[in-house]
Amino acid sequence: MRALPVGDRALLVEVSTDEEAQALHADLLRRRAEGSLSVREIVPAARTVLLDGLEDPSRLAAQLAGTRLASVPPPVADVVEIAVRYDGPDLADVAEIWGVSPEEVARIHAAADFRVAFCGFAPGFGYLTGLPARYGVPRRATPRTAVPAGSVGLAGPYTGVYPRSSPGGWQLIGTTDAVLWDHARVPAALLSPGTPVRFVPVDS
């Protein structure tokens, strides 16, 4: 674990894996909730966690240097269920990569317990972990110029749902009508780091 100063009031903490980043994020949230850590924002990414609004960044950096991370704790939030039609244009390609039928791709994906590791790319877009490592898939060789909102995609170890139409190179295996980002909702994002997620198959 390495803590790097960012300006006068922030730290960027680097770890080795996304699992360590999720565990650190959960530990820092716990510390803030119990009052032992004063920080304005805690923002996880793939292998980093940014802490902004610290009183004494150097002191916290020294404390973190001796921290041993436990495994990712069980989620405390309610599971967000996302209804999905497994009808994506890359479903057959993913099935070939996995060595199974398209129907089995849907079964495997829907059986996984996902968790939002971090958010980014677009407002409301969550990077979800939960599939075993053997089901990682490469991004498309040629990204699409426009991926429809609600597309459920895979890339590397992650699953994600496009909250709006945008370019993208993920392998699309399904679609959902779930609204990932809504300005009129509090909070606007359906998914936030640490949220448990389950995909529920529905008929087209």
Side-chain angles (χ1 to χ4, degrees), residues 15-28:
V15 292
S16 300
T17 66
D18 58 354
E19 290 86 358
E20 289 181 355
Q22 291 180 60
L24 176 61
H25 177 243
D27 183 62
L28 293 169

Side-chain angles (χ1 to χ4, degrees), residues 146-159:
V147 175
S151 295
V152 178
L154 307 178
Y158 301 113
T159 289

Side-chain angles (χ1 to χ4, degrees), residues 35-104:
S36 62
L37 174 63
S38 177
V39 60
R40 185 173 66 249
E41 290 188 77
I42 305 173
V43 184
R47 295 185 181 180
T48 62
V49 178
L50 175 70
L51 296 99
D52 191 21
L54 293 166
E55 294 284 332
D56 190 347
S58 59
R59 180 182 176 188
L60 180 60
Q63 292 175 352
L64 291 174
T67 299
R68 295 188 64 182
L69 295 173
S71 59
V72 180
V76 295
D78 292 336
V79 175
V80 172
E81 292 191 345
I82 296 178
V84 57
R85 297 176 294 276
Y86 287 96
D87 57 1
D90 301 321
L91 184 63
D93 292 338
V94 172
E96 184 176 354
I97 293 170
W98 288 6
V100 300
S101 68
E103 293 77 16
E104 186 69 0

Side-chain angles (χ1 to χ4, degrees), residues 140 143-153 162-170 172:
R140 287 174 51 84
R144 293 180 170 90
T145 56
V147 175
S151 295
V152 178
Y162 284 76
R164 64 186 184 194
S165 178
S166 62
W170 290 38
L172 307 181

